[in-house]
């Protein structure tokens, strides 16, 4: 207590000391024990290391995180790599067979262009993987993680150069249930069977400003999702297949979404937040679950609904794009 305030008191002296002492302090912070971080080289953090549960690696000077970089760190629970502009590549098996590892964060590494397939392998207790604000061109391969944790959260955000979610992208990641927070990326397209083999609690696709196409079979082979957020995307339509499990649909600022699949497809919908009054019309007069709906406000749009072209047995409810951009917040 006392030493702290007295140490801070001679401020001019402290400022004089800073230029000398800071670089050394930072160098140590960049390469914590037991790691070695040769500039432009490869990171090595050999274990075992008793009591080491968290590894925070910031301002790394290395270019590569090689295969088996963390071999033997049996007790490590969390590895965070951030603010490292030198980092260019993460090799296959970089994170391999770390049986206690539950969180991996890779953030703000804008020159990280490659994460090789199999970089994340056999991590049975992994619960949270976050890869945000990197330069990668492809969705990272997560199919060899084989986690068996309940509600695994995968966060892929602000990766402006990833354009596609391919088929089976999340197969093998986790055998229980997952939340996918995939926002702010460069996605343009979601392919058929993208989420095949997963149990999806929540799928967040918001703020993928270039996302235009979601294949009609995107939800093939999926259990869920209960929550779907497609806000601030350019999606023009939703798949007509696989909407039964959605309980919460969020589509604010979805100005390109001019038509919605018929309301009968949303058999479990409890709550929806939509962009156009016309969207809301699609859900008016639902035969069941009315009590659960927060749509009463949309009753006032009924006139607009009546003016909306609709063919009785059409799968799609056709809506006019020229309607006002009123938000249908519930
Ligand atoms: C996980 O860590 C604990 C101590 O935190 C250790 O006793 C155990 O051996 C580790 N598990 C494995 C599989 O290495
Ligand atoms: C997931 O895998 C674990 C470990 O193999 C197993 O105990 C668990 O029952 C599996 N869960 C499901 C839903 O299959
Ligand atoms: C969907 O996943 C299953 C395994 O879960 C696999 O057998 C099947 O080939 C996949 N379908 C497609 C079209 O990729
Ligand atoms: C939906 O309504 C049913 C009965 O009408 C009720 O039992 C249930 O709790 C409601 N759910 C929510 C989320 O309000
Ligand atoms: C619908 O409009 C009427 C008259 O303007 C208003 O009294 C009522 O509160 C509105 N209903 C909702 C749910 O906003």
């Amino acid at each position: 207590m006392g030493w702290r305030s007295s140490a801070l008191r001679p401020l001019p002296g402290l400022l004089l000391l800073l230029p000398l002492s800071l670089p050394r302090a930072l160098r140590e912070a960049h390469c914590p024990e037991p790691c070695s971080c040769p500039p432009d080289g490869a990171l090595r953090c050999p274990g075992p290391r008793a009591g080491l549960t968290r590894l925070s690696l910031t301002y790394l000077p290395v270019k590569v995180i090689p295969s088996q970089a963390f071999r033997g760190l049996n007790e490590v629970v969390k590895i965070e790599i951030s603010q490292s502009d030198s980092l260019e590549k993460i090799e296959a098996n970089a994170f391999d067979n770390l049986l206690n590892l539950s969180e991996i964060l890779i953030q703000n590494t804008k020159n990280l262009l490659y994460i090789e397939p199999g970089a994340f392998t056999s991590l049975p207790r992994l619960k949270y993987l976050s890869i945000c604000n990197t330069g990668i061109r492809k969705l990272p391969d997560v199919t060899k993680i084989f986690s068996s944790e309940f509600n695994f959260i995968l966060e892929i955000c602000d990766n402006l150069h990833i354009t596609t979610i391919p088929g089976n992208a999340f197969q093998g990641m986790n055998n229980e249930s997952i939340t996918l927070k995939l926002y702010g990326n460069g996605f343009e397209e979601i392919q058929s069977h993208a989420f095949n083999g997963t149990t999806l609690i929540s799928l967040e696709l918001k703020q993928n400003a270039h996302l235009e196409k979601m294949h009609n079979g995107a939800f093939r082979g999926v259990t869920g999702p209960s929550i779907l957020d497609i806000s601030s995307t350019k999606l023009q339509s939703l798949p007509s297949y696989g909407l039964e499990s959605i309980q919460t649909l969020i589509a604010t600022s979805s100005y390109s979404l001019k038509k919605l699949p018929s309301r009968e497809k949303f058999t479990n919908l409890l709550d929806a937040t939509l962009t156009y009054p016309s969207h809301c019309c699609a859900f008016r007069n639902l035969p069941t679950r009315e009590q659960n709906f927060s749509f009463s406000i949309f009753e006032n749009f009924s006139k607009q609904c009546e003016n909306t072209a609709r063919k009785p047995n059409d799968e799609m409810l056709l809506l006019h794009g020229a309607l006002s951009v009123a938000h249908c917040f519930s």
Side-chain angles (χ1 to χ4, degrees), residues 64-78:
V64 178
I65 300 192
S67 173
Q68 308 294 337
F70 308 99
R71 185 207 284 274
L73 290 183
N74 299 327
E75 294 182 30
V76 83
V77 172
K78 175 174 176 178

Side-chain angles (χ1 to χ4, degrees), residues 73-109:
L73 290 183
N74 299 327
E75 294 182 30
V76 83
V77 172
K78 175 174 176 178
I79 297 178
E80 176 176 3
I81 297 164
S82 60
Q83 323 300 342
S84 298
D85 288 350
S86 302
L87 187 61
E88 293 174 3
K89 185 177 176 186
I90 298 180
E91 290 184 357
N93 300 93
F95 298 84
D96 184 13
N97 215 34
L98 297 162
L99 304 183
N100 268 324
L101 189 60
S102 118
E103 291 182 35
I104 301 174
L105 286 83
I106 299 167
Q107 293 173 341
N108 303 326
T109 53

Side-chain angles (χ1 to χ4, degrees), residues 17 19 76-77 83-84 117 139 154 160 177 207 213 223 228 230 235 243 252 288 316:
L17 279 174
V76 83
V77 172
Q83 323 300 342
S84 298
L139 200 73
L154 176 68
L160 300 179
S177 54
Q207 290 152 21
K213 283 185 228 154
T223 307
L228 177 64
I230 53 160
L235 282 176
L243 305 174
T252 59
T288 53
M316 292 295 194

